[in-house]
């Protein structure tokens, strides 16, 4: 038995949100903190760390920490271990929380209360937030908060994270620091009576019986929907239709905002070009900053549409169903359906997808999923795809109203998925453990209508991260490329654009010797080098290179699409598209693979085989296109 001692930090107490997956914990975190939150990684591990600040009714500042979801404090996966380490005070660079708010799904008390008992045994002061209490009441589950509080010896409040005032009771409770600090001693004494999981189960069952809550109340609406969406024939058809609609929407819905951003960048370049006299400063701002960053920012609407669909599917509870539907297909290549969600996350960015693989218990499956995750078409490739499709694929309707450009985009995403499945199948054949059958065990949460506020917060976070990349690594690489493309100056009387005589021109022409067999010119060769930092940098690099090649700088900053459509052949464009289907991952992804696999073996294998696949795919595509055209 140990004494619970609480030392409050001068900047405010640290409150950790703990709960099972799908209990609405993150929605409650967003409700409590609003926009006052930051996202980072835990020291020494690549697991997302969300911390925010809450100002209570009494004006006190509270630090809120959103811990990864877990079913118990006996971790089966790497992200669950983070939650255990933080509560035990073992996490590097993280103090032990002053309070644990156990977020419990009010429609599933049986599972949530077992975690509460485990948290109590840590000695951290604890309160319970019965989230989704409105859903529980709608299903006839009536919970006596005071009776439950007496049974557990801790304060209990009801919350509805999706409502504007749904966290009011919890905010009031967080004002009363002494109330929840005073529960720590009682918790430690009561917790030692139930030291094992079996005893926890028996105690929870006894509590539910005394509160007349022992009867399971199924979600009939979700069961009716699942009869359709999990049907062996209808279910996969609906899934493919949903994915297809996403790519159609990425072009049709984003057209107007993209045009507005493009016109704004062109107008800004024109104004700056008129204000500043000819010289290096005007070239730096117009050809470097505006042409480079503007050529990437223009694709933000399409990226947000993709993210919006993924967030909506996640919030609705459909993603675990998709994993279930694809389990048999994944099993045919030596994986389980559990790999689907991390791979789907990789469509946004391979880095959070690789981080999400911590939820895969099997080590072999985790490593294979890491190797194929870069083949998922991340949002960084989207600007490349969108630029080339808009420049070379005509904008017309086919097959009864479907957009041809959207069909091509969908085909590129499918090509990445098929490539990933092929690689996984090969790894299944060469590894003994790959042939073992691993049954899928995954919770199917009830269906819920995605909440507009949660979607807005998620989209804002991703837009901010994207713009930070534009203002960070993309801007730095763009300015470095501008310098390399501007110096040394062309000799007097040189017939071609000055960039051909610069350092960048020399590098591009040297690389073009290797890349000429796949149809890449020296401009593309230059763009691929900074594109190693981040794939979308290739577009800003092309924007800078061609802006410096144009006589009218403002025109060059705006007209990248028309320029390449005139100067490149269709075979070159198709070859570059094929290259980016299999393109080696960015340096950040390689670093994440190194941290997650704890060796350089996986990132080196990944970079090598992806470069070989990309070169082979581009060579075949280029030669076929030349033969056919």
């Amino acid at each position: 038995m140990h004494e619970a001692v609480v030392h409050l930090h001068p900047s405010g107490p640290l409150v950790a949100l703990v709960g099972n997956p799908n209990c609405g914990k993150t929605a409650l975190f967003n409700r409590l903190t609003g926009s006052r939150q930051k996202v980072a990684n835990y020291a020494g591990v690549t697991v997302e760390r969300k911390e925010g600040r809450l100002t209570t009714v009494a004006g006190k500042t509270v630090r809120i920490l959103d811990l990864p979801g877990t079913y118990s404090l006996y971790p089966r996966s790497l992200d669950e271990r983070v939650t255990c380490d933080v509560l035990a005070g073992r996490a590097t660079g993280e103090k032990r929380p002053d309070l644990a708010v156990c977020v419990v799904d009010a429609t599933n008390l049986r599972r949530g209360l077992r975690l509460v008992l485990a948290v109590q045994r840590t000695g951290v002061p604890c309160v319970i937030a019965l989230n989704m209490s409105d859903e529980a009441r709608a299903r006839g589950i009536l919970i006596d908060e005071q009776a439950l509080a007496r049974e557990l010896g801790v304060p209990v409040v009801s919350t509805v994270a999706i409502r504007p005032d749904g966290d009011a009771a919890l905010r009031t409770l967080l004002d009363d620091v002494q109330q929840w600090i005073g529960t720590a001693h009682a918790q430690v004494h009561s917790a030692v009576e139930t030291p094992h999981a079996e005893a926890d189960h028996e105690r929870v069952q006894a509590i539910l019986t005394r509160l007349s809550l022992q009867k399971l109340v199924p979600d009939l609406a979700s069961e009716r929907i699942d009869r359709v969406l999990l049907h062996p024939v209808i279910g996969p058809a609906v899934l493919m239709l949903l994915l297809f609609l996403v790519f159609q929407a990425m072009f049709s819905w984003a057209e107007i905002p993209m045009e507005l951003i493009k016109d704004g960048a062109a107008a800004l370049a024109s104004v700056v070009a008129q204000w500043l006299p000819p010289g290096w400063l005007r070239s730096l701002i117009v050809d470097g900053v505006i042409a480079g960053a503007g050529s990437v920012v223009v694709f933000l609407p399409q990226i947000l549409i993709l993210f919006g669909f993924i967030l909506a599917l996640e919030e609705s509870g459909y993603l675990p169903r998709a994993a279930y539907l694809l389990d048999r297909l994944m099993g045919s290549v030596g994986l389980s359906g559990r790999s689907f969600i991390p791979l789907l996350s990789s469509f946004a960015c391979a880095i959070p997808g690789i981080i999400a693989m911590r939820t895969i218990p099997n080590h072999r499956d985790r490593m294979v999923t890491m190797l194929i995750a870069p083949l998922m078409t991340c949002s960084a490739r989207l600007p490349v795809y969108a630029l080339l499709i808009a420049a070379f694929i005509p904008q017309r309707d086919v097959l009864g109203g479907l957009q041809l450009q959207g069909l091509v985009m969908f085909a590129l995403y499918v090509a990445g998925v098929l490539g990933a499945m092929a690689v996984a199948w090969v790894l299944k054949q060469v590894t003994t453990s790959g042939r073992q059958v691993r049954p899928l065990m995954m919770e199917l949460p009830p269906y819920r209508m995605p909440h507009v506020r949660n979607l807005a917060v998620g989209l804002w976070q991703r837009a901010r991260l994207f713009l930070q990349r534009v203002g960070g690594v993309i801007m730095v690489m763009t300015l470095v490329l501008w310098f390399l493309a501007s110096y040394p100056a062309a000799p007097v009387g040189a017939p071609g654009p000055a960039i051909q005589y610069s350092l960048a021109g020399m590098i591009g022409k040297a690389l073009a010797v290797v890349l000429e067999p796949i149809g890449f010119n020296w401009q593309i060769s230059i763009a691929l080098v900074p594109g190693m930092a981040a794939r979308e940098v290739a577009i800003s690099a092309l924007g800078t290179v061609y802006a410096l090649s144009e006589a009218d700088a403002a025109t060059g900053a705006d007209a990248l699409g028309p320029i390449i459509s005139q100067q490149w052949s269709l075979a070159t464009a198709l070859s570059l598209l094929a290259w980016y289907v299999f393109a080696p991952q960015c340096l950040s992804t390689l670093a994440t693979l190194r941290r997650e696999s704890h060796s350089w073996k996986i990132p080196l294998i990944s970079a090598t085989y992806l470069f070989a696949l990309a070169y082979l795919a581009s060579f075949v595509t280029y030669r076929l296109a030349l033969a056919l055209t």
Side-chain angles (χ1 to χ4, degrees):
M1 188 180 303
H2 57 277
E3 197 78 1
V5 180
V6 180
H7 300 285
L8 297 184
H9 195 274
S11 63
L14 178 63
V15 175
L17 300 185
V18 186
N20 303 141
N22 303 309
C23 69
K25 175 174 55 64
T26 299
L28 185 60
F29 172 79
N30 290 338
R31 175 63 60 191
L32 290 168
T33 61
S35 60
R36 292 162 296 181
Q37 52 187 270
K38 60 181 180 181
V39 178
N41 285 329
Y42 284 97
V45 290
T46 316
V47 172
E48 193 174 79
R49 178 189 191 282
K50 289 184 179 178
E51 181 181 328
R53 293 189 178 273
L54 161 70
T55 302
T56 66
V57 178
K60 299 175 183 176
T61 299
V62 178
R63 297 161 59 212
I64 308 291
L65 183 64
D66 185 15
L67 293 178
T70 181
Y71 289 105
S72 73
L73 296 188
Y74 297 95
R76 295 171 298 173
S77 59
L78 299 175
D79 59 336
E80 289 184 349
R81 184 175 297 279
V82 168
T83 298
C84 300
D85 288 345
V86 170
L87 292 176
R90 297 190 300 263
T92 304
E94 190 81 83
K95 63 165 287 188
R96 198 180 193 203
D98 300 306
L99 173 69
V101 175
C102 292
V103 184
V104 175
D105 181 353
T107 66
N108 197 338
L109 282 179
R110 179 174 280 97
R111 188 187 62 206
L113 293 184
R114 289 200 293 268
L115 180 60
V116 171
L117 297 179
V119 173
Q120 284 183 312
R121 279 196 292 277
T122 67
V124 176
C126 172
V127 300
I128 297 175
L130 292 176
N131 200 33
M132 306 179 195
S133 54
D134 57 335
E135 287 189 23
R137 287 191 294 271
R139 286 162 57 176
I141 303 173
L142 303 178
I143 304 172
D144 186 336
E145 297 175 17
Q146 298 303 318
L148 182 59
R150 288 192 298 270
E151 290 282 353
L152 296 170
V154 298
V156 177
V157 294
S158 292
T159 59
V160 182
I162 62 173
R163 291 184 180 174
D165 60 344
D167 60 342
L170 180 58
R171 287 174 178 264
T172 301
L173 181 60
L174 293 177
D175 263 329
D176 192 354
V177 176
Q178 293 305 317
Q179 179 181 351
W180 45 262
I181 288 181
T183 66
H185 297 282
Q187 289 172 213
V188 176
H189 286 275
S190 64
V192 295
E193 299 173 5
T194 57
H196 304 296
E198 184 177 345
D200 283 353
H201 176 74
E202 293 176 357
R203 186 180 174 199
V204 168
Q205 186 61 34
I207 291 174
L208 295 178
T209 300
R210 287 193 290 271
L211 297 180
S212 301
L213 296 171
Q214 71 276 18
K215 183 179 179 181
L216 294 175
V217 181
D219 187 341
L220 298 178
S222 292
E223 290 184 359
R224 286 194 294 269
I225 297 173
D226 277 340
R227 291 193 191 104
V228 176
L229 295 186
L230 295 185
H231 188 275
V233 177
I234 301 175
V238 171
L239 175 60
M240 291 302 294
L241 179 62
L242 281 174
L243 295 177
F244 180 75
L245 290 176
V246 170
F247 302 115
Q248 288 291 307
M250 283 165 56
F251 273 93
S252 58
W253 297 0
E255 185 175 351
I256 294 177
M258 287 180 70
E259 287 298 324
L260 292 175
I261 295 174
K262 189 184 301 182
D263 293 344
L268 179 61
S270 178
V271 170
V272 173
Q274 292 175 3
W275 282 357
L276 295 176
W280 69 269
L281 181 60
R282 186 173 83 170
S283 177
L284 171 65
I285 296 176
V286 175
D287 302 326
V289 176
I290 299 177
S295 59
V296 178
V297 174
V298 71
F299 299 104
L300 178 60
Q302 289 180 317
I303 291 173
L304 291 182
I305 289 172
L306 174 63
F307 272 120
F309 273 98
I310 292 177
L311 288 171
L313 293 175
E314 183 179 11
E315 281 230 339
S316 68
Y318 181 74
L319 283 189
R321 271 88 177 175
Y324 169 80
L325 290 170
L326 295 174
D327 182 54
R328 180 173 296 179
L329 174 63
M330 303 291 284
S332 66
V333 296
L335 295 172
S336 75
R338 192 174 288 275
S339 296
F340 168 74
I341 295 178
L343 289 177
L344 184 66
S345 300
S346 299
F347 279 113
C349 178
I351 292 175
I354 293 170
I355 294 171
M357 291 166 203
R358 286 176 163 261
T359 62
I360 303 174
N362 183 274
H363 176 75
R364 184 261 175 198
D365 286 4
R366 192 161 61 247
M367 294 299 107
V368 172
T369 310
M370 282 185 190
L371 283 172
I372 66 174
L375 287 168
M376 301 297 107
T377 302
C378 65
S379 59
R381 296 180 198 173
L382 183 57
V384 181
Y385 287 173
L387 173 69
L388 296 177
I389 289 173
F392 290 91
I393 305 300
Q395 187 176 6
R396 65 167 180 255
D397 293 341
V398 296
L399 301 176
L402 298 177
Q403 281 198 355
L404 178 60
Q405 293 181 336
L407 284 173
V408 174
M409 178 71 79
F410 182 69
L412 291 171
Y413 275 73
V414 170
V417 172
L418 293 178
M421 295 299 102
V423 172
W425 182 85
V426 171
L427 293 174
K428 174 186 177 181
Q429 306 308 311
V430 300
T431 57
T432 304
S433 59
R435 302 187 186 97
Q436 298 175 357
V437 178
R438 286 174 289 279
L440 175 66
M441 297 182 64
M442 180 176 289
E443 176 197 4
L444 297 181
Y447 289 101
R448 296 186 177 90
M449 184 65 67
H451 195 264
V452 175
R453 184 180 186 277
N454 291 337
L455 294 179
V457 170
L459 288 177
W460 164 245
Q461 290 174 345
R462 283 153 180 80
R464 186 177 59 187
L465 289 174
F466 176 79
L467 293 175
Q468 285 173 350
R469 283 168 65 87
V470 173
V473 61
I474 294 176
M475 186 62 66
V476 170
M477 297 303 297
T478 297
L479 295 180
V480 169
L481 181 62
W482 171 86
F483 177 81
L484 293 176
S486 301
Y487 298 98
V492 177
I499 189 174
Q500 294 186 11
Y501 307 93
S502 67
L503 290 172
M506 298 174 192
I507 295 171
K509 289 175 182 177
L511 290 174
V513 175
V514 179
L515 300 177
E516 186 273 336
I518 60 177
F520 291 0
N521 57 26
W522 64 270
Q523 292 97 332
I524 298 174
S525 302
I526 292 175
L528 293 180
V529 176
M532 294 174 61
R535 288 187 179 104
E536 62 267 51
V537 174
I539 295 301
S540 66
L542 285 173
T544 298
V545 169
Y546 279 106
L548 288 169
S549 301
E550 293 297 303
D552 183 349
T555 302
D558 172 53
L560 181 58
I563 289 173
I564 65 173
S565 66
Q566 295 171 9
Q567 297 189 14
W568 296 3
S569 67
L570 176 62
T572 293
L574 294 177
S575 176
L576 187 57
L577 284 174
W579 172 275
Y580 269 96
V581 170
F582 303 101
Q585 59 268 60
C586 63
L587 296 178
S588 299
T589 303
L590 288 173
T592 304
L593 285 173
R594 164 66 181 85
R595 293 180 65 182
E596 288 296 308
S597 63
H598 305 292
S599 76
W600 282 107
K601 180 180 178 180
I602 294 295
L604 287 176
I605 291 174
S606 181
T608 302
Y609 96 82
L610 286 173
F611 180 84
L613 278 180
Y615 197 96
L616 177 62
S618 292
F619 183 84
V620 172
T621 301
Y622 183 64
R623 296 302 167 182
L624 282 176
L626 285 179
L628 294 174
T629 58

